[in-house]
Amino acid sequence: MEFTKDSLKIDAAAVTEQLCQTIRTQIRTRLHKTGAVVGVSGGIDSTVCAALCARALGPERVVGIMMPEKDSSPLSEQLARKLAAQFGFQAIKEDISGGLAGLGCYERRDEAIRSVFPEFDPSWSAKITIPTNILEKDTFNFFHLTIENKSGESRTKRMPLAAYLQVVASSNLKQRLRMTTLYYHAEKRNWAVIGTGNKDEHEQGFFVKYGDGGADLKPIAHLFKIQVYQLAEYLKVPREIIDRTPTTDTYSAEVTQEEFFFGLDFYKMDMLWYALEHKVPAEKAAEVLGLTVEQVRHGYANIERKVNATEYLKLPPLHAV
Amino acid sequence: MEFTKDSLKIDAAAVTEQLCQTIRTQIRTRLHKTGAVVGVSGGIDSTVCAALCARALGPERVVGIMMPEKDSSPLSEQLARKLAAQFGFQAIKEDISGGLAGLGCYERRDEAIRSVFPEFDPSWSAKITIPTNILEKDTFNFFHLTIENKSGESRTKRMPLAAYLQVVASSNLKQRLRMTTLYYHAEKRNWAVIGTGNKDEHEQGFFVKYGDGGADLKPIAHLFKIQVYQLAEYLKVPREIIDRTPTTDTYSAEVTQEEFFFGLDFYKMDMLWYALEHKVPAEKAAEVLGLTVEQVRHGYANIERKVNATEYLKLPPLHAV
Amino acid sequence: MTIDQTVLRKELRQFITDSFLIGDDQVVFADTDSFMKNGIIDSTGVLELTAHLEEKYSVTPSDDEMLPANLDSIDNLVNFIQRKLSATAAQ
Amino acid sequence: MTIDQTVLRKELRQFITDSFLIGDDQVVFADTDSFMKNGIIDSTGVLELTAHLEEKYSVTPSDDEMLPANLDSIDNLVNFIQRKLSATAAQ
């Protein structure tokens, strides 16, 4: 099939029906559970997953868990409540700040940030970013730390390894406590935990092992982000959720997924990736996407490197025999 | 090979050497990590895993994390420190009570216990037990809740489903917070997390999904409990650890693993299981183990039922395609 | 209290379908089929089932009655419930 | 500051073996072999490597120099370090 601008268009109605059937069968036959617990963040992926589950199982067999912590945007909870009201499932709020503080999340993170910026204190917010010029050169990933204060002043430095690892290790406590909270609600009801990652996140490794990566089933892990948007339109989820820029919802300064992980806008990344998977020659992809051949090659190399680096995240526990 | 009382004897020296080689190769080649983080509970399994890692990688590439919470026995920390001193690795203590309290672990558990015993308050301790007459009849698992006060008075009732599920869901927060804490220390160092489950726990499903079940490698997941003891003797771990009765280290009242999960002492269970795996006729197993044929049949049925029920725990996240 | 066997059989089948098959009545199983062996109910499911017996029929299996022979098929359940109910009625 | 190429090559190989191969010198790789493609170093390993260059040789790759052509083999590293050191010396 020829590679065109429309190669990632799906028949959203047909895909929805097939996904609902799969969700029912997997929950019943493979998992022996009778309902679904979904972490609802007000983002597009968890929204589509919750809407699909409500349709597949009936809203009375679905519960959406909102899990804010002190760095979360208050908008996330508002959007999640709106979603739950529209699709008729119960929404429960579990603030995980107390659990995070108890494990030293904020302290450990701030200690690492202060090793880079000694002036950092809770009046500043912080984020980590990667190079976003990945179509221009074949660069390794490295990380910048940016801190911002309330008057809009910001400072940026490349992170030494030890600081980077400690900030990431501390932030990953958030995803793992969210998984933990979802399983509490699932085990209490004998229901299943839904993982809400899409293909971009799953296959490029943008998830935390046993954090948001830990779930019983992942209904949209095979769909490109721009396909998830098509399902969202078909399912008529709230417009503000569709229009919201995807963020990590992990750092105190707002950071887009493009800045933090993918380094490329979703349309270009998904199309390049599809082209790579289907062995579309770089020349053809360049023509369809309005890029140079060189840019396509850098994009291919970057995606390939990320996909190859994810083995660790997806490995089941290794046994010695 | 004939089934005898010695069928589970291993050449501990040879097994140790082979395991050390495997640990080195897996950490380096499969996981791309350069050290190992082990949760040390003062129990036999984590002790053997930590000793193996120190031998395989050198003690400077191993860190043992002690993770007590308010229901833990103080003996656990003492034994773990003794082990670390003997094998030369660093021991770090992380009290997870604060994290657990922040997630409402104790409150949620006590609420469920009070639904069975309204008189329950923090001056009582509590535990869950299963039938231990599994060689006498082919019974389903069901659960008794026992509460004990300081004057030694105890009360026991069979648990209604909702109370049972909520107590288990609350207690599982402990295993998941321990996993979370181990990954903090691993990610901060770019090291691997060691899972310390043995074959009994792994294959009969005595672990928490994404809790103690969540690890990067599990060096002894193929060894029967009574084989782990043979390694412990060979590695010369502290005698008090070998002599200690295995407990769940999860409930406020001490509960042995036999009472809580296996329903049978380790020697009988492991031998019966080995016999079942090797299709030893019930008559022969009965003769070797000094049991009746009927008892062997009940033992086989119980183990088979548990092994079959573990699929859910071990499934990777299901995808829709 | 006694219950008509046909009614009981139908009610139990409906409960199994609603609770464990999420309403999917395309799944075929015979009245003699083991729930466990056919993957319809797992060990936690057995506890959900006994909670239902208690709530709907005031039938509580004793510890000694928590056996596949009493609980692990529609037929076994029907026999068990009727036996328990007539024992209660006879008191 | 300059370093003898042979010494530098040997030191780098030793560091790779100690840090990423946990001391196993049975693993064979050529001076031209890509660390990434041969599974010797992953993306976090690259950051460990740059931290080592900074500490041991006071060589810090700029953002624009975080490239496989500078960092992804013994040969590339030797050339990159020598280039950086002579640039510093020339200042």
Side-chain angles (χ1 to χ4, degrees):
Chain A
M1 210 148 56
E2 210 195 354
F3 181 64
T4 72
K5 280 187 189 319
D6 292 336
S7 287
L8 288 179
K9 282 254 165 74
I10 53 173
D11 177 347
V15 169
T16 296
E17 281 325 299
Q18 178 253 312
L19 282 178
C20 287
Q21 181 55 51
T22 305
I23 289 169
R24 274 193 299 271
T25 306
Q26 288 183 332
I27 287 192
R28 188 189 68 205
T29 320
R30 296 293 308 276
L31 301 167
H32 298 293
K33 304 292 173 189
T34 52
V37 175
V38 192
V40 283
S41 68
I44 191 81
D45 299 312
S46 66
T47 291
V48 165
C49 286
L52 285 171
C53 287
R55 196 176 174 119
L57 307 170
E60 73 286 359
R61 291 182 194 269
V62 176
V63 60
I65 314 290
M66 299 169 291
M67 294 173 286
E69 45 92 23
K70 66 179 202 183
D71 294 333
S72 302
S73 155
L75 183 59
S76 299
E77 183 181 333
Q78 288 165 35
L79 293 177
R81 286 200 188 278
K82 189 161 180 181
L83 172 74
Q86 182 183 328
F87 287 87
F89 58 84
Q90 190 193 359
I92 295 175
K93 177 172 165 177
E94 292 278 6
D95 192 312
I96 62 167
S97 306
L100 288 169
L103 293 183
C105 169
Y106 304 112
E107 253 174 81
R108 298 177 203 256
R109 181 199 57 191
D110 292 353
E111 177 192 63
I113 294 175
R114 273 193 302 273
S115 75
V116 182
F117 293 111
E119 68 272 29
F120 180 81
D121 70 41
S123 73
W124 296 76
S125 58
K127 67 179 179 182
I128 293 180
T129 56
I130 57 159
T132 50
N133 61 342
I134 64 172
L135 295 188
E136 306 314 320
K137 56 168 68 179
D138 184 28
T139 178
F140 282 127
N141 255 353
F142 51 89
F143 303 90
H144 280 101
L145 178 64
T146 299
I147 61 171
E148 300 171 358
N149 68 13
K150 286 188 181 105
S151 40
E153 187 190 340
S154 85
R155 297 174 196 170
T156 296
K157 274 192 202 164
R158 203 161 91 204
M159 299 183 85
L161 180 64
Y164 168 70
L165 290 176
Q166 186 164 331
V167 169
V168 170
S170 306
S171 303
N172 287 352
L173 294 169
K174 298 183 183 181
Q175 275 80 12
R176 294 203 173 92
L177 253 56
R178 290 198 170 112
M179 176 280 290
T180 295
T181 302
L182 293 177
Y183 271 95
Y184 171 78
H185 282 281
E187 290 174 337
K188 189 178 142 173
R189 293 166 176 81
N190 200 26
W191 288 6
V193 170
I194 305 299
T196 62
N198 56 49
K199 177 176 166 117
D200 303 55
E201 296 176 353
H202 182 72
E203 292 188 18
Q204 295 195 42
F206 183 34
F207 64 87
V208 174
K209 192 171 185 173
Y210 308 134
D212 49 329
D216 295 326
L217 71 158
K218 299 189 172 176
I220 61 167
H222 61 300
L223 295 177
F224 286 99
K225 187 86 173 181
I226 62 177
Q227 295 174 324
V228 176
Y229 277 104
Q230 295 171 58
L231 288 184
E233 296 282 357
Y234 173 75
L235 292 164
K236 300 202 180 358
V237 309
R239 174 57 44 192
E240 307 95 292
I241 295 179
I242 296 179
D243 291 342
R244 198 180 182 199
T245 302
T247 70
T248 64
D249 211 9
T250 300
Y251 291 94
S252 52
E254 189 136 302
V255 53
T256 66
Q257 292 185 3
E258 180 180 344
E259 290 175 300
F260 178 73
F261 185 81
F262 293 113
L264 197 58
D265 72 76
F266 286 116
Y267 178 75
K268 278 207 206 81
M269 181 175 66
D270 287 353
M271 291 297 284
L272 276 169
W273 189 357
Y274 177 91
L276 176 65
E277 278 190 340
H278 290 75
K279 301 192 184 3
V280 174
E283 292 72 17
K284 175 72 183 171
E287 180 200 317
V288 171
L289 298 172
L291 298 171
T292 68
V293 173
E294 198 60 7
Q295 286 175 321
V296 171
R297 293 225 167 90
H298 285 140
Y300 282 4
N302 187 279
I303 292 169
E304 267 182 332
R305 189 146 56 223
K306 280 191 183 134
V307 170
N308 289 339
T310 58
E311 192 200 359
Y312 164 76
L313 293 174
K314 295 185 200 164
L315 273 181
L318 299 176
H319 287 201
V321 286
Chain B
M1 210 150 56
E2 211 196 353
F3 181 64
T4 73
K5 279 186 191 317
D6 293 336
S7 286
L8 289 178
K9 282 253 166 77
I10 52 173
D11 177 347
V15 170
T16 295
E17 281 326 298
Q18 179 253 313
L19 283 178
C20 287
Q21 182 55 50
T22 305
I23 289 169
R24 273 192 300 271
T25 307
Q26 288 183 332
I27 288 193
R28 187 188 69 205
T29 321
R30 295 294 307 276
L31 301 168
H32 298 294
K33 304 292 172 189
T34 53
V37 174
V38 191
V40 284
S41 68
I44 192 81
D45 298 313
S46 66
T47 291
V48 166
C49 286
L52 286 170
C53 287
R55 196 175 173 119
L57 308 170
E60 72 287 358
R61 293 182 193 269
V62 175
V63 59
I65 315 289
M66 300 168 291
M67 295 173 285
E69 46 91 23
K70 65 178 203 184
D71 295 333
S72 303
S73 156
L75 183 59
S76 299
E77 183 182 336
Q78 289 165 33
L79 294 176
R81 287 200 187 278
K82 189 162 179 181
L83 172 73
Q86 182 183 329
F87 287 87
F89 58 82
Q90 189 192 359
I92 295 175
K93 177 172 164 176
E94 293 277 8
D95 191 313
I96 62 166
S97 306
L100 287 168
L103 293 183
C105 169
Y106 304 111
E107 253 174 82
R108 298 177 202 256
R109 182 199 57 192
D110 292 353
E111 178 191 64
I113 294 175
R114 273 195 300 275
S115 76
V116 181
F117 292 111
E119 68 272 30
F120 180 80
D121 71 44
S123 73
W124 295 77
S125 59
K127 66 179 179 182
I128 293 180
T129 56
I130 58 159
T132 50
N133 62 343
I134 65 172
L135 295 189
E136 305 315 319
K137 56 168 71 178
D138 183 29
T139 177
F140 282 127
N141 256 353
F142 52 89
F143 303 91
H144 280 101
L145 177 63
T146 298
I147 61 172
E148 300 170 359
N149 69 13
K150 286 186 182 106
S151 41
E153 187 191 341
S154 85
R155 298 175 194 168
T156 297
K157 274 192 203 165
R158 203 161 92 205
M159 298 183 85
L161 180 64
Y164 167 70
L165 290 177
Q166 185 163 331
V167 170
V168 170
S170 306
S171 304
N172 286 353
L173 294 169
K174 298 183 183 181
Q175 275 79 13
R176 294 203 173 93
L177 252 57
R178 292 200 169 112
M179 176 280 290
T180 296
T181 302
L182 293 177
Y183 271 95
Y184 172 78
H185 282 281
E187 290 174 336
K188 188 179 142 171
R189 293 165 177 81
N190 200 27
W191 287 6
V193 170
I194 305 299
T196 62
N198 56 49
K199 177 175 165 118
D200 303 55
E201 297 176 352
H202 181 72
E203 292 188 18
Q204 294 195 41
F206 182 36
F207 64 86
V208 174
K209 191 172 187 174
Y210 308 133
D212 49 328
D216 295 325
L217 70 158
K218 299 190 173 175
I220 61 168
H222 62 299
L223 295 177
F224 286 98
K225 186 86 174 182
I226 63 178
Q227 295 176 323
V228 176
Y229 277 104
Q230 295 171 59
L231 288 184
E233 296 283 356
Y234 173 74
L235 293 164
K236 299 202 182 355
V237 310
R239 175 55 47 192
E240 306 95 293
I241 294 178
I242 296 178
D243 291 343
R244 197 179 183 201
T245 302
T247 69
T248 64
D249 210 10
T250 301
Y251 291 94
S252 52
E254 189 136 303
V255 54
T256 66
Q257 293 184 2
E258 181 181 342
E259 291 173 299
F260 178 72
F261 185 82
F262 294 112
L264 197 57
D265 72 77
F266 287 116
Y267 178 76
K268 278 205 206 83
M269 181 177 64
D270 287 354
M271 291 298 285
L272 276 170
W273 189 357
Y274 176 91
L276 175 65
E277 277 190 340
H278 289 76
K279 301 192 188 354
V280 174
E283 291 71 17
K284 174 72 181 169
E287 181 200 317
V288 172
L289 298 172
L291 297 171
T292 68
V293 173
E294 199 59 7
Q295 287 175 319
V296 171
R297 293 226 167 90
H298 285 140
Y300 282 4
N302 187 279
I303 292 170
E304 267 182 332
R305 190 147 56 225
K306 280 189 182 136
V307 170
N308 289 339
T310 59
E311 192 201 358
Y312 164 77
L313 292 174
K314 294 185 201 163
L315 272 181
L318 298 176
H319 287 200
V321 284
Chain C
M1 182 181 144
T2 55
I3 305 176
D4 177 72
Q5 227 203 68
T6 320
V7 173
L8 183 55
R9 207 171 281 278
K10 206 178 146 191
E11 282 178 359
L12 288 169
R13 186 170 278 276
Q14 192 62 47
F15 172 75
I16 303 287
T17 304
D18 290 347
S19 300
F20 301 109
L21 305 177
I22 317 184
D24 182 352
D25 49 17
Q26 306 296 302
V27 179
V28 178
F29 61 101
D31 284 358
T32 52
D33 281 348
S34 155
F35 302 138
M36 301 283 284
K37 287 191 183 131
N38 288 277
I40 295 165
I41 296 187
D42 68 357
S43 56
T44 308
V46 171
L47 300 177
E48 284 190 50
L49 183 60
T50 57
H52 175 72
L53 299 189
E54 213 159 324
E55 199 177 297
K56 174 116 186 177
Y57 307 106
S58 303
V59 162
T60 308
S62 70
D63 291 358
D64 288 342
E65 289 168 337
M66 291 292 289
L67 305 174
N70 291 332
L71 304 171
D72 193 24
S73 72
I74 295 275
D75 273 357
N76 292 359
L77 280 171
V78 167
N79 291 335
F80 177 66
I81 293 169
Q82 291 200 316
R83 203 166 62 239
K84 289 287 276 188
L85 289 178
S86 48
T88 315
Q91 277 172 4
Chain D
M1 179 183 146
T2 56
I3 305 177
D4 178 73
Q5 227 203 69
T6 320
V7 173
L8 183 55
R9 208 170 280 281
K10 206 177 145 193
E11 281 178 1
L12 288 168
R13 186 169 278 277
Q14 192 62 47
F15 172 75
I16 302 287
T17 304
D18 289 349
S19 300
F20 301 108
L21 305 177
I22 318 185
D24 182 351
D25 49 18
Q26 305 298 302
V27 179
V28 178
F29 60 100
D31 284 358
T32 52
D33 281 348
S34 156
F35 301 139
M36 301 283 283
K37 286 190 185 136
N38 288 278
I40 293 164
I41 297 187
D42 68 357
S43 56
T44 308
V46 172
L47 300 176
E48 283 191 48
L49 183 59
T50 58
H52 175 71
L53 299 190
E54 214 159 324
E55 199 177 298
K56 175 118 185 177
Y57 307 106
S58 303
V59 162
T60 307
S62 71
D63 291 358
D64 287 343
E65 289 169 337
M66 291 292 290
L67 305 175
N70 292 331
L71 305 171
D72 193 24
S73 72
I74 296 276
D75 273 356
N76 293 359
L77 280 172
V78 167
N79 291 335
F80 176 66
I81 292 169
Q82 291 199 316
R83 203 164 65 237
K84 290 287 275 189
L85 289 178
S86 47
T88 315
Q91 276 172 8

